[in-house]
């Protein structure tokens, strides 16, 4: 093959002689993890101050003892409520755009600041999802200490399937401390059945969602079908490794992978008995000009509320790699 003599090709148009227009797609490809299934599953409530409270009630213990005919009534103690409280944590992100950038024509979006604000809101949702499942105790904070909210695992005491350690323990259950990490072991179907049995025994209410990290989602997919009663719908041309429902001894659980919870913690969640409490729900605030630029921020202030911890379970200390 021979090139035509003195043909003016694209290679000659580079550098100072560059005459070819840039071909930049007017589209931005963004693929970062951003799904927040925990937040989407549970409820919400509005609160009016950083410290918020709720009441928990349990029935008196069941008794099969009868009384005599004509028995004089014995006055029994009334059953009181338990008051729980948590704190709202402040989360924020911001962006600064120069005046030149705002005046320039851009590809993929028309307004540089609006584009940054849209990214920030999505990132803050992942921050809030991380807070929901973080191993964090509540802290009222002060002028020099950041206020924190107790994550889900700090409330779960009734139904905790733990790994072994020198002194494995759960948190106190009032949000004031965190779960003690034990020795990790592989997640099994037995762990799931044990946790579901515990929830049923303590509340008669059953979780419907099994939330785990991607590693343990794959572990569940590798459970032996003959011994775990997995639901698999696979045609003749497909290898079925994906499991979306675990059929436990006490009901079905939808398996939901989450990139933002601790991989070693697997949660069995009853969505009706957990929520995020919002003091400020995603507020966009202009911070004003800084020289030849403009800064805007988004704030969200929220905390975790576990309506009744006996309706959920945690399988802690699962292997994560």
């Amino acid at each position: 093959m021979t090139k035509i003599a003195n043909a003016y090709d694209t290679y000659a148009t580079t550098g100072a002689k560059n005459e070819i227009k840039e071909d930049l797609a007017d589209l931005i490809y963004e693929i970062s993890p951003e799904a927040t299934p925990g937040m989407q599953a549970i409820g919400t409530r509005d609160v009016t101050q950083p410290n918020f409270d709720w009441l928990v009630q349990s029935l008196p213990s069941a008794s099969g003892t009868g009384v005599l005919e004509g028995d004089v009534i014995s006055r029994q103690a009334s059953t009181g409520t338990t008051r729980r409280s948590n704190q709202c944590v402040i989360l924020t992100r911001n962006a600064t755009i120069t005046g030149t950038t705002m005046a320039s024509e851009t590809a993929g979006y028309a307004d540089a600041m609006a584009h940054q604000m849209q990214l920030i809101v999505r990132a803050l949702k992942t921050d809030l999802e991380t807070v929901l499942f973080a191993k964090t105790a509540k802290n009222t904070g002060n002028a020099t200490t950041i206020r924190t909210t107790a994550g889900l695992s700090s409330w779960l005491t009734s139904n905790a399937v733990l790994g072994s350690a020198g002194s494995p323990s759960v948190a106190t259950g009032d949000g004031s401390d965190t779960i003690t990490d034990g020795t990790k072991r592989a997640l099994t179907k037995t762990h799931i059945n044990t946790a579901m049995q515990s929830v049923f025994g303590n509340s008669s209410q059953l979780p419907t969602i099994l939330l785990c990290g991607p590693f343990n989602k794959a572990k569940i997919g590798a459970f032996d079908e003959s011994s775990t009663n997995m639901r698999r719908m696979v045609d003749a041309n497909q290898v079925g490794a994906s499991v979306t429902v675990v059929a436990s001894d006490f009901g079905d659980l939808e398996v939901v992978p989450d990139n933002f919870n601790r991989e070693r913690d697997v949660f069995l969640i009853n969505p009706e008995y957990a929520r995020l409490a919002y003091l400020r729900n995603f507020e966009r605030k202009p911070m004003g000009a800084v020289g030849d630029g403009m800064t805007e921020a988004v704030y969200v202030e929220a905390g975790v509320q576990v309506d009744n911890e006996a309706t959920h379970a945690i399988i802690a200390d699962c292997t994560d790699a």
Side-chain angles (χ1 to χ4, degrees), residues 129-130 133 211-214 258-263 265-267:
E129 183 85 351
T130 302
F133 297 109
L211 190 142
C212 60
D258 193 329
N259 282 303
F260 303 104
N261 76 303
R262 294 206 311 162
E263 183 71 73
D265 294 336
V266 173
F267 292 96

Side-chain angles (χ1 to χ4, degrees), residues 122-283:
R122 290 160 62 187
L124 276 174
K125 287 178 62 181
T126 66
D127 295 342
L128 200 51
E129 183 85 351
T130 302
V131 165
L132 176 59
F133 297 109
K135 180 186 172 182
T136 309
K138 65 182 177 182
N139 189 320
T140 56
N142 54 46
T144 58
T145 302
I146 296 172
R147 192 166 59 248
T148 58
T149 191
L152 181 59
S153 63
S154 291
W155 302 96
L156 307 186
T157 59
S158 297
N159 312 304
V161 180
L162 308 171
S164 62
S167 57
S169 65
V170 295
T172 303
D174 59 2
S176 62
D177 58 358
T178 60
I179 190 170
T180 301
D181 289 334
T183 303
K184 288 186 285 188
R185 75 277 193 251
L187 175 66
T188 68
K189 182 66 181 299
T190 299
H191 294 143
I192 296 172
N193 277 329
T194 299
M196 287 290 281
Q197 179 180 353
S198 180
V199 175
F200 182 78
N202 285 312
S203 71
S204 296
Q205 303 290 323
L206 289 172
T208 56
I209 293 174
L210 186 155
L211 190 142
C212 60
F215 178 85
N216 280 299
K217 173 63 167 67
K219 280 289 185 183
I220 293 171
F223 283 171
D224 177 58
E225 184 176 10
S226 63
S227 62
T228 59
N229 297 319
M230 291 307 204
R231 291 182 177 175
R232 300 188 182 190
M233 301 180 67
V234 183
D235 63 34
N237 300 313
Q238 182 179 3
V239 177
S242 176
V243 174
T244 57
V245 174
V246 174
S248 79
D249 292 341
F250 290 86
D252 292 350
L253 288 161
E254 181 185 359
V255 181
V256 180
D258 193 329
N259 282 303
F260 303 104
N261 76 303
R262 294 206 311 162
E263 183 71 73
R264 66 184 294 148
D265 294 336
V266 173
F267 292 96
L268 277 58
I269 299 173
N270 187 326
E272 295 182 13
Y273 292 93
R275 64 202 67 249
L276 283 172
Y278 286 95
L279 182 60
R280 289 186 287 171
N281 195 340
F282 292 93
E283 291 182 346

